[in-house]
Structures are given as C-alpha cells and as structure tokens.
Amino acid sequence: DSGVTQTPKHLITATGQRVTLRCSPRSGDLSVYWYQQSLDQGLQFLIQYYNGEERAKGNILERFSAQQFPDLHSELNLSSLELGDSALYFCASSSHRGPSDTQYFGPGTRLTVL
Amino acid sequence: GQNIDQPTEMTATEGAIVQINCTYQTSGFNGLFWYQQHAGEAPTFLSYNVLDGLEEKGRFSSFLSRSKGYSYLLLKELQMKDSASYLCAGNTPPDKLIFGTGTRLQVFP
C-alpha cells in the first residue's frame, strides 16, 4: 500500500459525459501527478500540481482539467468523453524535496467509456 | 527530444538472472527510475540512479551510464512473482517522469 488513495476504482460511463476522478496523496506529500495508461501503452504524464499550483503539464487534452485543493487532494475532470479516453488513470504523489523524489502511485481508476 | 526505449517482451526461467535494458536520448534527465507494474495494478518503485554505476538492492540491481544514455535492471534468482512489466522512466525538470512503454517479463517454471 503506497498511501495514495484514488476513487472510484472503476467508472463506466457513456460518450459525451463528464467524470471526476479523485486522489488523496500520501500524508505530507505536496506534489500530485496524474498519468493515463491506455491498453498496452506506457504511462503518459498528464499534469502535476505542487501545493495547490500547477507545476508541469504533459500531454493533457483541453477536455481534461485538474486542480489541487488546500487539503492537497486533487481531482481530474474529464469532459466530452470519447471512446479513446478509456484507460487506467493513475495519481502519484511525492514529497518534492528534490529532483530525486520518488513518486508513489495510487491503485488507479479504470475508466470505461461506452 | 525525449525518448526512452526498452524491449517489449522478455522471457526467463525461474531461478535465472535477467537483464532488462533501457536506452534514452534526451537532455536534462536528472536521473533514471525503474518501476515494477503487475497487470492492472499500480507501478511500484524499484530503484533510482542519478550517478553512473551500479545500485544493488537485494535481488534487484540497477545500472546507469549517463554518457551512453543507457541503464539496465538486473533481476537475480527469478521467482514466478517477478512476472510483471518493468518500466524505465527518466526524471526531467521540474519533476516530470517520462516513461518507456515497459518490458513485459514472463518467468516460466
């Protein structure tokens, strides 16, 4: 158990809908990262927040947005969903003491768009 | 550019040693991580190399050569539970991890 929690574990929805994925980092960690992993694909970095502020952006679509709240939990919002958005979405957290900080991953949310 | 390459699949026998290679073409990598991921589960941290050389942790060791853009993960005394994907990831400023597509290792009895 990494100490990172994600809800829900599974999500099934229809095209065009909007969903929110939630992540709580490990106690004391200030940085939260979101990744997408499609079937047989590598982990794709989406976005990073540090202490409430956006810090780095990857291949995140404009239909997707995220935020980190004062209690450091984070939400990833996915809208106008398409079939291709079906994937595992992972959240990771780190203490952000330096560039060698290990990222610890949550169990993921499996999103299925029908 | 930032590109990480690893073999797609490898097979090995229980009790054997296997080396999973990772090459990268990038500038600005702070270091290289290795993660293990069982199917449908979260990646779990194995090792981090920032300096050239070998880091040993029990049955697992990781090596880095920054000048050659090369790393490997060495798994000794393979067990069936080591069947998983092994992900190589470069750490780029400020804290982005760029992952390879992973190497799926199958361990046979």
Side-chain angles (χ1 to χ4, degrees):
Chain A
D1 185 354
S2 67
V4 179
T5 60
Q6 289 187 248
T7 56
K9 192 163 183 151
H10 300 278
L11 199 49
I12 301 175
T13 187
T15 54
Q17 295 298 304
R18 172 190 166 93
V19 297
T20 297
L21 313 184
R22 183 189 167 104
C23 167
S24 291
R26 294 186 319 157
S27 177
D29 283 358
L30 299 178
S31 273
V32 168
Y33 311 77
W34 286 99
Y35 292 87
Q36 179 192 58
Q37 188 174 41
S38 303
L39 194 64
D40 294 331
Q41 296 292 312
L43 278 162
Q44 298 292 318
F45 169 74
L46 296 178
I47 197 163
Q48 178 205 356
Y49 279 82
Y50 170 70
N51 205 20
E53 302 279 331
E54 182 185 303
R55 183 171 170 84
K57 219 166 183 175
N59 302 321
I60 188 165
L61 300 172
E62 285 193 15
R63 300 184 286 109
F64 296 0
S65 65
Q67 58 186 92
Q68 186 179 28
F69 294 86
D71 67 353
L72 300 177
H73 91 271
S74 178
E75 293 181 356
L76 179 68
N77 301 296
L78 315 176
S79 61
S80 303
L81 284 167
E82 302 175 359
L83 295 177
D85 298 327
S86 295
L88 263 172
Y89 290 84
F90 288 104
C91 165
S93 75
S94 77
S95 59
H96 197 77
R97 281 190 299 269
S100 63
D101 279 351
T102 298
Q103 293 184 22
Y104 294 92
F105 284 78
T109 294
R110 182 175 293 280
L111 173 66
T112 303
V113 183
L114 301 175
Chain B
Q2 297 174 331
N3 196 40
I4 293 186
D5 294 308
Q6 1 176 183
T8 305
E9 289 194 9
M10 297 183 71
T11 59
T13 307
E14 198 174 12
I17 299 173
V18 71
Q19 178 174 313
I20 302 174
N21 296 324
C22 170
T23 58
Y24 60 95
Q25 303 88 39
T26 188
S27 58
F29 267 6
N30 291 327
L32 214 76
F33 285 88
W34 283 95
Y35 281 82
Q36 181 192 59
Q37 185 180 26
H38 286 96
E41 297 183 10
T44 54
F45 169 76
L46 289 178
S47 69
Y48 175 69
N49 294 70
V50 63
L51 300 175
D52 286 1
L54 189 68
E55 296 272 345
E56 297 190 69
K57 270 189 187 181
R59 293 190 302 115
F60 292 4
S61 304
S62 57
F63 171 84
L64 178 66
S65 169
R66 297 173 73 101
S67 60
K68 294 181 180 173
Y70 169 67
S71 173
Y72 67 73
L73 181 70
L74 194 70
L75 294 76
K76 302 176 193 171
E77 300 168 18
L78 279 172
Q79 302 174 9
M80 297 297 290
K81 67 177 182 180
D82 297 328
S83 293
S85 288
Y86 292 86
L87 313 179
C88 173
N91 188 13
T92 70
D95 296 307
K96 274 169 55 173
L97 281 185
I98 307 297
F99 280 88
T101 52
T103 298
R104 189 180 306 169
L105 174 66
Q106 288 187 301
V107 180
F108 292 99

